[in-house]
Amino acid sequence: MASQAEPRPPSAHDFAGVPGPELSAAQEIAWIEVIRKMEEVYSDLIQYEVELEEKNSALEEAQRFINSVLSAVSDILVVCDQQGRIQQVNLAFLTLTDLAEADLLGRPLAEVLAADIETLELCHWVEAGRGHDREVRFRSGGGGVSEMVALNCATRFDHHGLPAGIVLTGRPVGELRRAYEALKQAQQQLVQQEKMASLGRLIAGVAHELNNPISFIYGNTHALTKYRDRLSVYLEAIHRGVPEAERESLRRSLRIDALMDDLPALVGGTMEGAQRVADIVKSLKRLSFSETGAPEPFDLAEVVDKAVQWAARGRRAGPEAVLDMAGPLAVRGQPGQLHQVMVNLVENACDAVAGRSGARVVVSGRVSDGRVVVTVEDNGSGIAPEHLMTVFDPFFTTKPVGKGTGLGLWISYGIVRDHGGELEAGRSEALGGAKFTVTLPGV
Ligand SMILES: Nc1ncnc2c1ncn2[C@@H]1O[C@H](COP(=O)(O)OP(=O)(O)OP(=O)(O)O)[C@@H](O)[C@H]1O
Ligand SMILES: [Mg+2]
């Protein structure tokens, strides 16, 4: 516009040659006033024109920006008016359908959908303005149909906040599926790596834990072998019927009395070492998870009930155990493994309150937000804050030999995690001791 021949404002000269009667002074002043006004109007016009040009170029820039964004988006995008007529599509949609933009604009959306039944459903869906994913195919260029697309629908509102149409966005399902498969594979690899890493930690732990008792069993056996040799010499002399003085001298030189005093501790220590090895092996057997079948649905409340009875068996003065189950707790998985988890939590709680007067263990279960939550609380001395995570480490135990190996919580943690859940340790507000919370996906 600006490049065209520049118009110029009229001036008094323009009227100088106008033939007519001589102007009076008053008329001349009026003319000058008119011309001044015209000049003003003209300069306003020029100003408006400049502003208009600026606005126009900003608008064009905004349009270019929106177009570039729409073309860059890899999801398909279709905008329709309230009557379901296509108002705008993006490049991804044109590529998917192999149709020309000019053929699409103004056409009813229903005409570009592949199947009539889907069309009908989609129209209802669109009318309802619901945003759930829906899988559809579009008609494509050469009379064929497009890939299946997962579509999402949203209502578009005008600047008064009134519905002005709908916006459909979507992505070919094949692409989504490929991305999902890749993600699943990556996740499986991570899980596998994590399993190998924790197996490695366990083996290192087992080696360390077994090394200790085995080395003192070795040491003791070595000492016992020497004692046996000295005793053999002494007994052989007695059997030979050596005189008393010689026997007493042998008794002193072979330090038979000290040996006899040492024997109970040596044998006891060896027994203790063997017991520790046996405990560790027994605990490791728990790891073999005999159940590997397909996960099955079951009632966790029943499993908890049995586990409480199981854990309480064989305890002479067991704590008062309170079971508070809010109805059945439907979960899916391996009931035997979760039984093991519950037994361990209840046994730990019973151990924590053993010997206390008014000892209490409360096990409660409920469904919350679709998740099954079971808590085991006690009024024992609780867990120090710095140990809240360490208790899940393999071989962390504060129990004496023969009482615990420190594998219970580690194994339980793994089982709960394999069931898609979480096992957490904390403080029981209600009872003052420890609180363990198992959360599992409900079914
Ligand atoms: N309810 C609890 N109150 C206080 N401390 C606890 C409680 N439960 C577990 N702990 C602490 O966590 C440690 C580890 O528990 P975990 O069940 O892993 O092993 P453990 O009971 O010692 O031995 P195992 O279960 O192998 O026989 C326990 O030794 C104890 O110190
Ligand atoms: Mg335990």
Side-chain angles (χ1 to χ4, degrees), residues 286 343-345 347-349 351 396-397 399 403-409 412:
R286 296 195 259 169
V343 168
N344 184 48
L345 294 182
E347 273 184 345
N348 281 353
D351 287 344
F396 174 84
T397 184
K399 296 176 189 172
K403 259 320 247 154
T405 51
L407 284 174
L409 284 177
S412 303

Side-chain angles (χ1 to χ4, degrees), residues 97-151:
T97 55
D98 206 14
L99 292 170
E101 188 170 9
D103 296 339
L104 287 165
L105 300 186
R107 247 172 105 179
L109 174 70
E111 275 184 30
V112 291
L113 288 164
D116 294 341
I117 175 87
E118 277 174 7
T119 309
L120 207 70
E121 280 181 16
L122 189 86
C123 290
H124 285 312
W125 177 60
V126 165
E127 274 163 27
R130 268 177 269 136
H132 301 296
D133 265 7
R134 176 145 231 140
E135 293 187 2
V136 293
R137 287 180 201 275
F138 291 94
R139 290 187 199 285
S140 66
V145 289
S146 74
E147 259 191 86
M148 186 74 87
V149 177
L151 265 195

Side-chain angles (χ1 to χ4, degrees), residues 192-206:
Q192 194 58 25
Q193 278 168 7
E194 163 66 17
K195 277 194 172 153
M196 293 311 285
S198 69
L199 192 65
R201 279 200 297 277
L202 175 72
I203 290 172
V206 170

Side-chain angles (χ1 to χ4, degrees), residues 279 283 286 344-353 376-378 380-384 387 390-400 402-412 425-426 433-436:
D279 284 347
S283 271
R286 296 195 259 169
N344 184 48
L345 294 182
V346 178
E347 273 184 345
N348 281 353
C350 292
D351 287 344
V353 296
V376 181
E377 296 176 73
D378 60 63
S381 51
I383 302 167
H387 285 155
T390 337
V391 290
F392 296 108
D393 286 351
F395 300 110
F396 174 84
T397 184
T398 51
K399 296 176 189 172
K403 259 320 247 154
T405 51
L407 284 174
L409 284 177
W410 183 75
I411 293 172
S412 303
K435 173 179 179 177
F436 282 84

